[in-house]
Amino acid sequence: MGNAKDTLIPGISPVIRAWASVGGKKESEGPLAGEFDLLNGENSLGQESWERAECLFQQQCAELCLKKAQLTPDQVSLALGGDLQAQCTATAYAMRTLGFPYAGLYGACSTMTQGLALAACLAGSCLLPQVLVMTSSHFCAAEREFRTPLGYGGQRTPTAQWTATAAGACLVSPQGKGPKITALTFGRVVDLEVTDINNMGAAMAPAAAQTILRHLAGRGAQPGDYDAIVTGDLGLVGTRLLLQLLEGQGVHLTNHRDCGLMLYDRQTQQVGAGGSGAGCSAAVLCAHFLPRLAAGEYRRVLFLSTGALMSQTTYLQGETIPGLAHAIELEGCV
Amino acid sequence: MNYLWAFVIGGLICVVGQLLIDLTPVTPARILVGYVVGGVVLSALGWYGPLVELAGAGASVPLLGFGHLLAQGVIDAVEEMGWLGAFTGGFTASGAGICASLLFGVFFSLLGKSRDQN
Amino acid sequence: MVKRACPPSALATDCLWAFGVGGGICTLGEGLRQLYLSLGWEKDAAGSLVSVTLIGLSGLLTCLGLYQKLAAKAGAGTLVPITGFANSVISPAIEFKAEGLITGVGAKMFIIAGPVIVYGLTASWVWGMIYAFTGWTGMGG
């Protein structure tokens, strides 16, 4: 599995010089509440639809990020973003208001690292000076589109995960102050033939394991060389599987963290196997990891977002659920 | 006694559904379909009628009872108009339940709005 | 491997909830039935009235967001009774109001309940045909 060629090292290590995180109600009751830039106590934000509300989460987040970077909107050279809504409408409609040059991404819940890895390539080759990367997810918008109406009385299976109502945005530049992206690995699509749509952590774990192994091989590194190896939203089931899969390859992870398990308190918040969604890893990266990297508390972090790439149609047609994970390696400020 | 039987039989019918949810990969939507079709079959076999006699609403309120209602409606209609009754009996018997659901659906959709579960 | 990594459902607790809530809804139905019978309604009519009343109650609770909260605990206890069928019609009606009265409310009402009606009626038609041409009345009766 250790294909070293997959790992890319940007010519110069681009810098994440500003970031912002926005969370919703459940996120404001979770363990990371104190670390968000902005928390909305109510998830509709007064909008008529959940889709519009998610769009507004992204706008809030982008505007906060620009403010922290002290940039005006017309200085943004490109926005890379995506979300879980069909045809990525949350991001597209946010961009309608924000007006940046925009390239939409779809990587399901892996979108944040997909965007950051692409931004690192673009900024790392000095092609673009200010690349904004942002993603979001909204529990209500995701439920009504992919599961059942919000008022429907269904019992969640214990393996099901809770879509985060959150957004995260990062500004990537060739130079500046902030955590650096020193290496990146684009993942390959992996399918362990999981068919249960309520168990996406399991579907994504093999992709995460493979990308971690490829990245370690590409860098000639050991897990212990990192302060933390972080996955996006594997949740409880996916985390267990990831550790087992890596164990099977002789790699023992002791410093693994999963954003889906960090965002909520599983004991008290009734989120099933943990958080998920494109906004989950984005918000936890921006709320928790980037500030700590900037403060020098972490020196080297391997950060992955993991996505499950099925659709309602392929699921109903009996297809198995393929997973994808991209990794970026972050270096803290000294 | 009526109430006790209603509680116990109704409860047990639900426990069977719960076991299907927890122990098998059967989805709730399939359980609903299974219960209604199962109710038609049980009723046709003549097994569900006695349960309704015993447990009253305990047997008629679960969706198995909805199936029983369909099967009985079909019998009544066939008695009345022959084989054509197979086309009308089900709808006639289930009409109140289906119509009430649709009606309240329209009514409450005008009244209410989607609520967050967070 | 996937199976071993999964947390188990709390089977005993789930079943207890399903039994209690499901039994409770049926007992409520029985109470209503006795009430309607005592008011002089015929047996069949009383049964229909019970259904309509429970469906209305389910609609109200669905509208207030309470049916979903109860169902999170009660599972099949709120799924299997007629109130669960009503919830499956009324919750998408409310949810998809944003997509319009025709294409949202009207069309989406059937996303969960549609198959129930389709296969229930299909089964009843099959049984009606069997009954019409054979006169068979079942094994028990």
Side-chain angles (χ1 to χ4, degrees):
Chain A
M1 280 224 254
N3 190 336
K5 283 184 310 200
D6 288 358
T7 300
L8 309 174
I9 318 260
I12 52 163
S13 298
V15 174
I16 302 179
R17 57 185 205 87
W19 54 87
S21 54
V22 180
K25 180 160 179 285
K26 213 176 193 75
E27 294 67 30
S28 72
E29 296 157 355
L32 295 187
E35 307 182 41
F36 275 86
D37 292 303
L38 175 66
L39 287 165
N40 294 303
E42 190 275 323
N43 287 341
S44 79
L45 303 184
Q47 299 297 303
E48 275 168 29
S49 72
W50 300 116
E51 286 76 9
R52 290 187 75 108
E54 182 174 355
C55 184
L56 210 56
F57 266 79
Q58 287 219 5
Q59 275 180 48
Q60 287 179 334
C61 199
E63 279 159 9
L64 264 173
C65 185
L66 289 197
K67 202 172 139 196
K68 288 168 94 176
Q70 295 180 310
L71 278 188
T72 56
D74 57 350
Q75 288 175 292
V76 174
S77 30
L78 176 67
L80 296 170
D83 57 88
L84 299 181
Q85 287 178 24
Q87 282 85 29
C88 285
T89 43
T91 315
Y93 281 78
M95 290 300 158
R96 182 173 70 177
T97 307
L98 294 165
F100 309 141
Y102 162 62
L105 303 178
Y106 185 79
C109 306
S110 71
T111 308
M112 193 60 185
T113 46
Q114 181 191 3
L116 282 170
L118 287 168
C121 296
L122 295 167
S125 55
C126 294
L127 200 60
L128 295 171
Q130 316 281 1
V131 185
L132 184 74
V133 180
M134 54 193 268
T135 66
S136 68
S137 53
H138 194 300
F139 174 83
C140 301
E143 285 293 298
R144 76 197 298 274
E145 184 169 343
F146 302 114
R147 292 187 78 246
T148 51
L150 290 156
Y152 178 67
Q155 205 168 26
R156 307 178 78 84
T157 63
T159 56
Q161 291 175 248
W162 190 274
T163 306
T165 306
C170 291
L171 192 85
V172 183
S173 294
Q175 296 107 20
K177 234 170 84 68
K180 288 188 168 118
I181 303 176
T182 50
L184 52 102
T185 301
F186 285 107
R188 295 163 187 255
V189 175
V190 182
D191 195 328
L192 205 72
E193 304 200 337
V194 170
T195 50
D196 183 358
I197 207 159
N198 287 313
N199 195 358
M200 305 228 265
M204 299 186 293
Q210 196 197 62
T211 303
I212 290 173
L213 289 173
R214 287 215 168 103
H215 190 88
L216 291 177
R219 296 291 274 163
Q222 297 298 317
D225 298 339
Y226 298 87
D227 293 315
I229 294 180
V230 188
T231 49
D233 55 356
L234 293 182
L236 186 68
V237 182
T239 295
R240 284 181 188 166
L241 274 173
L242 172 74
L243 297 181
Q244 282 173 23
L245 286 167
L246 288 175
E247 207 73 53
Q249 299 288 320
V251 175
H252 184 58
L253 281 198
T254 52
N255 50 358
H256 173 256
R257 309 286 300 275
D258 184 69
C259 299
L261 291 175
M262 294 170 68
L263 186 57
Y264 305 113
D265 181 347
R266 278 189 59 249
Q267 306 303 325
T268 58
Q269 289 193 289
Q270 282 153 5
V271 291
S276 71
C280 177
S281 66
V284 174
L285 173 70
C286 296
H288 183 83
F289 288 102
L290 290 177
R292 276 168 177 70
L293 281 157
E297 203 175 311
Y298 291 135
R299 302 177 65 94
R300 198 177 179 196
V301 168
L302 183 61
F303 191 91
L304 296 94
S305 306
T306 45
L309 300 179
M310 77 296 161
S311 73
Q312 277 306 95
T313 305
T314 60
Y315 165 67
L316 290 175
Q317 291 173 351
E319 278 275 12
T320 55
I321 302 173
L324 179 62
H326 306 296
I328 52 167
E329 184 172 325
L330 297 163
E331 192 182 281
C333 309
V334 190
Chain B
M1 270 320 267
N2 269 336
Y3 291 103
L4 186 68
W5 280 118
F7 185 83
V8 172
I9 299 296
L12 285 176
I13 291 173
C14 293
V15 167
V16 172
Q18 190 65 43
L19 291 173
L20 290 172
I21 292 177
D22 282 357
L23 300 178
T24 70
V26 180
T27 57
R30 284 165 201 267
I31 291 177
L32 291 185
V33 172
Y35 265 63
V36 172
V37 174
V40 173
V41 173
L42 289 176
S43 181
L45 292 171
W47 296 350
Y48 208 75
L51 198 64
V52 175
E53 289 300 316
L54 173 71
S60 62
V61 167
L63 281 179
L64 281 173
F66 199 64
H68 173 63
L69 200 65
L70 289 170
Q72 292 304 304
V74 150
I75 291 188
D76 292 346
V78 169
E79 291 291 348
E80 205 175 302
M81 59 177 94
W83 62 269
L84 195 59
F87 287 86
T88 63
F91 257 125
T92 309
S94 61
I98 294 177
C99 182
S101 297
L102 301 184
L103 186 78
F104 283 118
V106 172
F107 177 72
F108 283 112
S109 77
L110 296 175
L111 208 67
K113 66 185 185 85
S114 172
R115 280 170 192 270
D116 192 3
Q117 283 178 19
N118 274 287
Chain C
M1 186 165 177
V2 172
K3 207 161 200 171
R4 260 189 296 130
C6 296
S9 299
L11 191 61
T13 325
D14 281 0
C15 285
L16 214 60
W17 267 98
F19 184 73
V21 175
I25 292 170
C26 293
T27 311
L28 174 65
E30 183 61 22
L32 288 168
R33 197 171 75 101
Q34 298 297 341
L35 174 71
Y36 293 135
L37 287 172
S38 75
L39 290 175
W41 292 89
E42 277 178 47
K43 210 170 155 188
D44 284 356
S48 295
L49 270 175
V50 170
S51 294
V52 172
T53 314
L54 288 177
I55 289 164
L57 269 176
S58 169
L60 183 66
L61 292 179
T62 300
C63 186
L64 296 172
L66 299 175
Y67 201 84
Q68 177 271 324
K69 286 201 163 58
L70 182 63
K73 296 262 183 224
T78 44
L79 174 78
V80 169
I82 187 92
T83 49
F85 176 79
N87 171 257
S88 79
V89 175
I90 298 163
S91 64
I94 295 171
E95 181 65 57
F96 296 103
K97 185 179 159 183
E99 279 79 12
L101 283 176
I102 306 295
T103 44
V105 176
K108 301 278 190 164
M109 257 186 208
F110 296 93
I111 50 172
I112 306 161
V116 178
I117 298 172
V118 168
Y119 292 109
L121 283 171
T122 306
S124 80
W125 178 86
V126 170
W127 161 233
M129 285 311 215
I130 293 173
Y131 181 71
F133 290 105
T134 68
W136 188 61
T137 50
M139 290 155 89

